[in-house]
């Protein structure tokens, strides 16, 4: 079963790499040997940006700057970081790497092109309980992830030191074989309720015959929520019906599992044996915990800063569909929006276009969360949904 929105289909990589002007890179702390990581989404030519924060316990940097009424209109990168508030240090390294490449906002005007300040907002997840408490991203981690991400924009997939670049192309059928999902970057130490979380991506391209023909919407998201990612009545992930073009079959799930109505008796039994499956939300499930889902909704459509804010707002609908409950007092749920404007005439989309973008953004967030959950691998003593259900 799948949800078809205006005939959209996944892009070639089914990832943020499908948005022109965007690059994605990941790095683990401690030069690749640590227990947490960073994911950087870069726009070296800048992107109009905004943010919407719904969780009650966010850890963020420069989100006030992204309010539509504030002066700076564009960003050069957005960081998604592990390490709780300590992980914000990674963004200092990202800024240094961008400055070294001549990327930034000319604070003294075009007459002084060497006086640049890269605009790099970001958000963090709380992942300090998985792995070592003191294993956290730092400036070097952020610089490595940024170097890797910049390489993808230039068409060079060789990452920087300690970094891993996203592939710019995928397998056939838009299945996203080139996209890195699961235990990568900021998703390394993520948990999804009682299961292993991770980093996930998805994209959608509007077909010919629609007002936004050829426009791409893509999402990269770190899934580390307090709420559950699967339906306790069936054992299936909440977002499984959002699948486009058979994209979830890449994880080796049987057709009956992807398209059916439950995970089957054995899968339910295994979930119950891990105390992961109940019939109702209990007070214990809602006990104060430190969790967060953070991500970026990107498009190549030209948007104003206010429209970017609307795109970020709409994306939270996808979080609420795929994670239940969401936006809790101790969650830090935060979605950024980036618009490169590399598709179209340069004029901002109209109200009809924004309605289409908003609907597809929510669906794409839901799908990206699914990729994070399905690609996740057991780590730090926390099992993944796929491995529990399959009994492996």
């Amino acid at each position: 079963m799948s949800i078809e929105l205006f005939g959209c289909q996944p892009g070639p990589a089914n990832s943020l790499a499908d948005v022109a002007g965007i690059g994605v890179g990941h790095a683990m702390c401690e030069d690749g040997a640590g227990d947490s990581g960073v994911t950087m989404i870069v726009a070296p030519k800048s992107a109009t940006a905004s943010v919407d924060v719904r969780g009650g316990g966010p850890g963020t940097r420069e989100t006030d700057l992204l309010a539509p009424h504030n002066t700076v209109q564009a960003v050069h990168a957005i960081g998604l970081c592990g390490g709780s508030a300590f992980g914000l240090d990674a963004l200092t390294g990202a800024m240094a790497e961008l400055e070294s490449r001549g990327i930034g906002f000319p604070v003294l005007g075009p007459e002084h092109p060497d006086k640049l300040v890269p605009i790099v907002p970001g958000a963090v997840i709380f992942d300090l309980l998985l792995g070592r408490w003191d294993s956290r991203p730092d400036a070097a981690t952020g610089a490595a992830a940024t170097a890797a991400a910049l390489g993808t924009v230039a068409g060079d997939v060789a990452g920087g030191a300690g970094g891993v670049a996203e592939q710019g192309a995928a397998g056939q059928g838009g299945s996203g074989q080139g996209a890195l999902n699961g235990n990568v970057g900021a998703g390394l130490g993520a948990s999804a309720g009682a299961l292993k979380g991770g980093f996930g991506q998805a994209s959608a391209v509007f077909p010919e015959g629609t007002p936004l023909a050829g426009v791409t919407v893509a999402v990269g998201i770190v899934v580390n929520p307090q709420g559950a990612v699967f339906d306790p009545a069936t054992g299936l992930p909440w977002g499984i019906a959002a699948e486009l073009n058979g994209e979830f079959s890449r994880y080796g799930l049987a057709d009956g599992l992807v398209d059916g109505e439950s995970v089957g008796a054995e899968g339910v039994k295994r979930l119950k044996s891990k105390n992961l499956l109940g019939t109702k939300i209990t007070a214990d499930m809602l006990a104060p915990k430190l969790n967060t889902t953070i991500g970026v909704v990107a498009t190549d459509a030209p948007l104003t800063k206010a429209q970017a804010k609307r795109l970020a707002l709409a994306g939270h609908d996808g979080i609420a569909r795929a994670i239940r409950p969401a936006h809790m007092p101790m969650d830090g749920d935060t979605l950024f929006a980036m618009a490169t404007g590399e598709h179209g005439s340069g004029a901002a989309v109209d109200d009809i276009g924004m309605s289409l973008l908003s609907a597809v953004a929510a669906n794409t967030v839901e799908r990206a969360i699914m990729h994070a959950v399905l690609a996740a691998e057991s780590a730090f003593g926390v099992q993944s949904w796929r491995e529990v259900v399959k009994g492996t």
Side-chain angles (χ1 to χ4, degrees), residues 219-250:
V219 171
I221 197 161
V222 183
V223 179
N224 184 61
Q226 177 181 349
V229 293
F230 63 91
D231 182 350
T234 65
L236 284 172
W238 291 112
I240 203 157
E243 181 184 48
L244 289 182
N245 200 27
E247 62 190 313
F248 300 149
S249 62
R250 62 180 287 196

Side-chain angles (χ1 to χ4, degrees), residues 272-313:
K272 285 184 176 179
S273 72
K274 301 293 183 182
N275 295 317
L276 297 175
L277 194 63
T279 58
K280 61 183 179 180
I281 295 173
T282 65
D284 180 66
M285 292 170 62
L286 299 180
K289 300 175 183 176
L290 298 170
N291 292 88
T292 297
T293 298
I294 57 176
V296 170
V297 182
T299 181
D300 52 12
L303 301 182
T304 66
K305 200 175 180 186
Q307 288 176 325
K309 173 74 173 183
R310 174 56 53 187
L311 194 67
L313 281 162

Side-chain angles (χ1 to χ4, degrees), residues 82-104:
S84 189
F86 297 106
L88 291 173
D89 284 350
L91 302 181
T92 302
M95 287 185 67
E97 184 66 27
L98 290 168
E99 183 186 26
S100 73
R101 309 285 187 104
I103 298 169

Side-chain angles (χ1 to χ4, degrees), residues 96-332:
E97 184 66 27
L98 290 168
E99 183 186 26
S100 73
R101 309 285 187 104
I103 298 169
F105 179 70
V107 291
L108 299 182
E111 298 82 8
H112 299 275
D114 58 326
K115 302 297 189 297
L116 301 173
V117 177
I119 308 300
V120 186
V124 297
I125 65 167
F126 183 85
D127 60 355
L128 300 178
L129 299 182
L130 273 69
R132 294 194 348 260
W133 176 267
D134 61 351
S135 184
R136 308 156 185 163
D138 58 12
T141 318
T146 303
L150 288 169
T152 69
V153 180
D156 176 9
V157 297
V164 178
E166 286 284 340
Q167 297 292 327
Q172 296 181 359
S175 60
Q177 298 297 324
L180 292 177
N181 296 316
N183 297 14
V184 296
L188 178 63
S191 60
L195 295 169
K196 183 68 180 70
F199 176 73
Q201 300 180 83
S203 69
V205 182
F206 285 88
E208 296 298 324
T210 62
L212 296 176
V215 165
T216 298
V217 177
V219 171
I221 197 161
V222 183
V223 179
N224 184 61
Q226 177 181 349
V229 293
F230 63 91
D231 182 350
T234 65
L236 284 172
W238 291 112
I240 203 157
E243 181 184 48
L244 289 182
N245 200 27
E247 62 190 313
F248 300 149
S249 62
R250 62 180 287 196
Y251 301 107
L253 303 179
D255 290 339
L257 183 59
V258 174
D259 298 325
E261 297 180 353
S262 76
V263 299
E266 288 302 312
V268 169
K269 182 178 179 181
R270 282 189 287 271
L271 286 168
K272 285 184 176 179
S273 72
K274 301 293 183 182
N275 295 317
L276 297 175
L277 194 63
T279 58
K280 61 183 179 180
I281 295 173
T282 65
D284 180 66
M285 292 170 62
L286 299 180
K289 300 175 183 176
L290 298 170
N291 292 88
T292 297
T293 298
I294 57 176
V296 170
V297 182
T299 181
D300 52 12
L303 301 182
T304 66
K305 200 175 180 186
Q307 288 176 325
K309 173 74 173 183
R310 174 56 53 187
L311 194 67
L313 281 162
H316 278 281
D317 289 348
I319 292 179
R321 293 173 193 165
I323 299 167
R324 307 183 193 183
H327 308 136
M328 301 298 287
M330 296 302 291
D331 284 328

Side-chain angles (χ1 to χ4, degrees), residues 34 72 74 81 131 148 168 180 189 214 332 350:
V72 175
C81 311
L180 292 177
D350 59 16

